[in-house]
Amino acid sequence: MTDAAPTLVVENLRTHFFTKAGVVKAVDDVSFTVGKGRILGLVGESGSGKSVTGFSIMGLVDAPGRVVGGRILFRGENLAEASEEQVRRLRGSRIAMIFQDPMMTLNPVLRIDTQMIEAVQAHDSVDRETARRRARDALGKVGIPSPDERLQAYPHQFSGGMRQRVAIATALLHKPDLIICDEPTTALDVTIQGQILYEMQKLCRDSGTSLVWITHDLSVIAGLADEVCVMYAGRIVEAGTVDEVLDRPLHPYTLGLIGSVPSRNVRGRPLAQIPGMTPSLLGLPAGCAFRTRCGRADDACLITPEISAPLPDRPIRCFHPVLAGPA
Amino acid sequence: MLVYFIRRMMQAVLVLFIMSILVFVGVFSIGNPVDILINPQADQEEIARAIRVLGLDKPLWEQYWLFLVNAARGDLGRSFVFNIPAIELILQRMPATMELAICATFMGVLMGIPLGMWAGLKPDSVSGKSIMAGSILGFSLPTFWVGLMLIMIFAVYLGWLPSTGRGQTRNFLGIELSILTWDGIKHMMMPAFNLALFKLSLVIRLARAGTREAILQDYVKFARAKGLRSGRIIGVHVFKNIMIPIVTVLGLELGSTIAFAVVTETVFAWPGMGKLIIDSINLLDRPVIVAYLMIIVFMFIVINLVVDLMYSVLDPRVRIAEARG
């Protein structure tokens, strides 16, 4: 599965938040690998730690949070131990990030050209005119009509989908090796979502860029990603290729997630739900964090399950994998 | 844009008109100037003549009508005391006050924004907390007391700065300014700081609140994700966003700084409009009081207009809304 030289290897990453109420283990022992040109889907409910994983890779975890353990190997360089200036040089040039809400990611009082030119000049010492040309070309590439004019505009003169395209164009300015996409299509219309997914996939294929796609939407992952990691309460509970995980989920949580996606086959019947809600990370139940919501839990689940592989290349954290498969 | 401007001008005229009624009635009710102006030994004949000369024998509505007619020609009456046009008297004193108020505002902005942004970026540090504690003092200590303390420390004990007057002035485009000579600057320092203290505290609070809000925004995180240096993020992305409320409040504050420089001018014997209005109230010099208040109202209106225009420069969203409306 892994390439000879993977773009990103995350090993035993732990990001904790030291709050007044206690230590929140937002990311707890997370490991995954993204090969060159591959797309990894990171799936989970709100609060499962998937966004914090993305910010940890970018070195953008805000206080009181901190990466407390593990390694983030980006092309062999450990970002978890790199200096702030080293990480800053990589941010935006080799690793880019696209955020969830395009209405919030662009500064409302600065023109698009200002915001894109500064991104070019942060890493390459080129004059304004060259930087501007590169910004214009990037806008054109993500399908923004008359980019020369649009560069003069302010963010509020763009629609949500267009703003997300601007953000994507900004991320692409330096042809990064890795883009972390934190639910970039969640706030958009379904049609726009489709267009953006298509374009991102194409860009990836054309330029060999790797993607980490963070989302709660399994249907997005199904059409986009190569591999998928399912996160729950700060841990990866199941990983594997998209086809295998979605066709034959082993973890009861993954099964629950798949069951709660509306589909044509179950029309007229009530939608399956996972009972309960994501536990607060401050008061996780002892043992398996999913224990209290799981139909298969028993006394064995009082101990935290280690990673096991009931099937080849299918690591999961569960004592009672769903080996029979969904009907 | 032109429509907007005309509408604002019409509002201004209406406000001026209403204010003139309020001011006229108010001044009429605070006392009879004749009692103060006329020599106590004067006989009935002389008093009657003085009243007639000053126009005080006419009923209130007629006095007001005459005032309006003259005001429309740009004549706001003659000072009872100095017997020169009130407006001339005020305009003579205006540069001193304007100079003081503008210096104080600049002081407040130039010191307040960096201090406030620092406190906003490091809210839990000792320096950040000290800045905030200082701003509470700046808000709550009375201006006159701070002025007296400044005089005591810097003029009496240390003897570094002079305590009264404008010092040596230099003529610039027909206006006498203190800031053009070193002696004038030394005279200006204490009163300007005294007047700036409240504004400084206000700007610190606004800048801190704005900074704390802005650094949590996604656009700051996105700017960091672009790999920008923190200097540029704070100096451009955060700074431009926090300036919007600061400009609004400061514009309004500039008006009240000019209008209420009275206390500082009295403490430091600064020969400005504030000192003039206090003297005029003591002497019941009605035309000067009325003219002063009318000028202040006019100034508020102009400043508000300028603030609105500046706002649209700072915030691109305002500009667009205007063009459509």
Side-chain angles (χ1 to χ4, degrees):
Chain A
M1 186 103 46
T2 50
D3 276 5
T7 306
L8 177 75
V9 180
V10 174
E11 284 175 357
N12 309 105
L13 177 69
R14 290 168 200 274
T15 303
H16 294 181
F17 286 77
F18 298 89
T19 65
K20 277 177 189 148
V23 177
V24 176
K25 296 177 179 176
V27 177
D28 197 13
D29 199 6
V30 162
S31 305
F32 56 82
T33 299
V34 190
K36 191 172 187 313
R38 307 287 283 181
I39 302 178
L40 174 87
L42 211 52
V43 191
E45 288 170 285
S46 308
S48 58
K50 51 196 195 310
S51 291
V52 177
T53 305
F55 286 131
S56 303
I57 297 166
M58 292 296 284
L60 287 178
V61 179
D62 284 323
R66 185 150 51 84
V67 175
V68 293
R71 301 203 296 168
I72 302 164
L73 295 170
F74 174 70
R75 299 196 304 179
E77 187 182 352
N78 186 2
L79 301 184
E81 278 164 9
S83 72
E84 168 61 23
E85 177 60 19
Q86 273 174 298
V87 179
R88 185 196 68 75
R89 278 176 206 279
L90 291 175
R91 274 203 298 257
S93 67
R94 305 309 344 133
I95 315 176
M97 186 158 183
I98 304 166
F99 290 68
Q100 176 170 5
D101 188 352
M103 308 311 261
M104 308 296 289
T105 46
L106 300 174
N107 194 324
V109 299
L110 297 176
R111 284 205 320 232
I112 300 299
D113 58 353
T114 316
Q115 302 194 42
M116 290 187 76
I117 288 168
E118 67 179 7
V120 175
Q121 288 181 329
H123 300 288
D124 294 339
S125 46
V126 294
D127 62 76
R128 245 186 106 76
E129 212 27 65
T130 315
R132 197 189 161 79
R133 236 182 346 262
R134 274 171 65 179
R136 185 197 59 203
D137 295 345
L139 283 185
K141 209 157 70 179
V142 297
I144 288 182
S146 53
D148 260 319
E149 264 169 59
R150 299 308 264 163
L151 269 179
Q152 307 279 348
Y154 285 94
H156 68 270
Q157 292 161 298
F158 286 80
S159 67
M162 281 295 169
R163 284 192 214 193
Q164 196 61 292
R165 281 169 202 263
V166 172
I168 292 169
T170 311
L172 292 174
L173 279 173
H174 294 277
K175 303 192 174 57
D177 302 307
L178 173 69
I179 305 178
I180 295 165
C181 307
D182 188 0
E183 310 206 33
T185 57
T186 309
L188 304 177
D189 294 344
V190 185
T191 48
I192 309 289
Q193 174 176 326
Q195 289 172 14
I196 287 190
L197 287 178
Y198 170 75
E199 276 161 26
M200 289 301 288
Q201 225 169 354
K202 188 160 149 283
L203 286 167
C204 245
R205 236 191 346 259
D206 296 350
S207 59
T209 306
S210 311
L211 291 189
V212 173
W213 196 282
I214 299 169
T215 184
H216 60 257
D217 190 343
L218 276 175
S219 54
V220 167
I221 288 296
L224 179 75
D226 302 309
E227 283 104 38
V228 62
C229 291
V230 181
M231 279 191 82
Y232 186 79
R235 292 204 174 96
I236 290 179
V237 293
E238 176 159 14
T241 64
V242 162
D243 295 340
E244 286 185 41
V245 171
L246 295 188
D247 289 347
R248 195 169 176 204
L250 297 180
H251 197 285
Y253 177 62
T254 316
L255 185 65
L257 281 184
I258 294 168
S260 51
V261 175
S263 101
R264 211 183 296 243
N265 305 335
V266 291
R267 176 174 295 184
R269 272 184 284 156
L271 205 54
Q273 293 177 19
I274 303 175
M277 50 193 260
T278 323
S280 156
L281 288 172
L282 274 172
L284 281 184
C288 174
F290 188 57
R291 181 169 58 87
T292 50
R293 301 170 69 186
C294 179
R296 307 164 77 92
D298 57 22
D299 288 348
C301 302
L302 288 169
I303 304 162
T304 308
E306 288 307 314
I307 296 169
S308 58
L311 294 176
D313 282 333
R314 295 295 304 277
I316 63 164
R317 277 181 192 270
C318 185
F319 293 114
H320 309 290
V322 191
L323 289 170
Chain B
M1 190 65 204
L2 189 66
V3 176
Y4 171 78
F5 204 77
I6 292 170
R7 205 170 55 215
R8 287 296 295 256
M9 282 296 119
M10 283 164 64
Q11 283 173 3
V13 171
L14 187 71
V15 170
L16 272 177
F17 176 71
I18 293 170
M19 264 310 289
S20 71
I21 297 178
L22 290 176
V23 168
F24 213 81
V25 173
V27 167
F28 188 81
S29 63
I30 57 174
N32 189 351
V34 179
D35 301 342
I36 295 173
L37 290 170
I38 303 280
N39 185 347
Q41 265 90 55
D43 58 25
Q44 208 59 38
E45 184 89 357
E46 275 178 71
I47 292 174
R49 198 175 63 236
I51 288 176
R52 208 163 344 104
V53 169
L54 295 176
L56 296 173
D57 55 339
K58 299 190 177 72
L60 180 61
W61 67 266
E62 202 181 331
Q63 285 184 36
Y64 180 67
W65 175 248
L66 282 173
F67 165 76
L68 269 193
V69 170
N70 287 329
R73 293 199 306 249
D75 175 11
L76 292 174
R78 290 176 90 83
S79 162
F80 293 164
V81 180
F82 300 97
N83 199 29
I84 56 171
I87 201 151
E88 201 182 306
L89 195 59
I90 292 166
L91 289 180
Q92 273 172 13
R93 302 289 198 97
M94 200 178 219
T97 299
M98 294 295 269
E99 191 183 17
L100 187 64
I102 288 169
C103 277
T105 305
F106 267 101
M107 247 186 195
V109 173
L110 293 182
M111 292 163 72
I113 291 177
L115 286 175
M117 287 182 84
W118 179 265
L121 292 171
K122 306 203 175 289
D124 296 319
S125 66
V126 176
S127 53
K129 283 182 175 164
S130 317
I131 291 169
M132 292 323 287
S135 89
I136 292 174
L137 286 181
F139 266 125
S140 46
L141 293 177
T143 310
F144 74 90
W145 185 83
V146 174
L148 293 175
M149 288 301 117
L150 286 174
I151 289 178
M152 215 160 87
I153 295 168
F154 291 103
V156 180
Y157 290 152
L158 297 173
W160 290 352
L161 297 170
S163 65
T164 56
R166 286 185 81 182
Q168 196 187 340
T169 58
R170 186 176 293 171
N171 195 301
F172 179 73
L173 300 177
I175 303 167
E176 293 291 326
L177 290 179
S178 296
I179 199 149
L180 298 175
T181 67
W182 174 235
D183 184 54
I185 291 174
K186 280 205 296 190
H187 278 82
M188 173 102 84
M189 270 184 206
M190 275 201 293
F193 180 74
N194 187 213
L195 194 57
L197 198 58
F198 185 82
K199 255 149 296 303
L200 176 63
S201 312
L202 193 68
V203 172
I204 286 177
R205 301 222 140 224
L206 287 171
R208 175 179 181 264
T211 306
R212 290 200 69 180
E213 199 185 305
I215 55 173
L216 296 178
Q217 297 293 319
D218 270 1
Y219 60 76
V220 168
K221 212 156 199 180
F222 189 63
R224 288 172 68 197
K226 285 194 289 193
L228 299 187
R229 290 188 172 79
S230 52
R232 173 151 184 108
I233 295 174
I234 292 161
V236 177
H237 286 256
V238 173
F239 178 77
K240 259 206 114 179
N241 276 283
I242 67 166
M243 280 314 284
I244 296 167
I246 290 179
V247 165
T248 317
V249 172
L250 267 189
L252 299 177
E253 273 294 311
L254 179 64
S256 49
T257 308
I258 296 167
F260 306 120
V262 178
V263 177
T264 299
E265 288 186 3
T266 310
V267 171
F268 291 93
W270 188 264
M273 295 191 296
K275 188 97 178 39
L276 175 71
I277 185 73
I278 289 286
D279 295 344
S280 302
I281 290 171
N282 281 333
L283 293 170
L284 288 177
D285 195 348
R286 279 189 198 170
V288 179
I289 302 173
V290 172
Y292 174 83
L293 289 172
M294 295 311 289
I295 285 175
I296 292 292
V297 170
F298 182 71
M299 214 149 61
F300 264 89
I301 290 168
V302 171
I303 289 170
N304 268 327
L305 185 65
V306 171
V307 169
D308 281 356
L309 295 179
M310 264 176 86
Y311 203 89
S312 71
V313 173
L314 278 174
D315 193 340
R317 289 162 292 189
V318 173
R319 190 160 44 217
I320 295 307
E322 225 175 65
R324 282 190 194 136

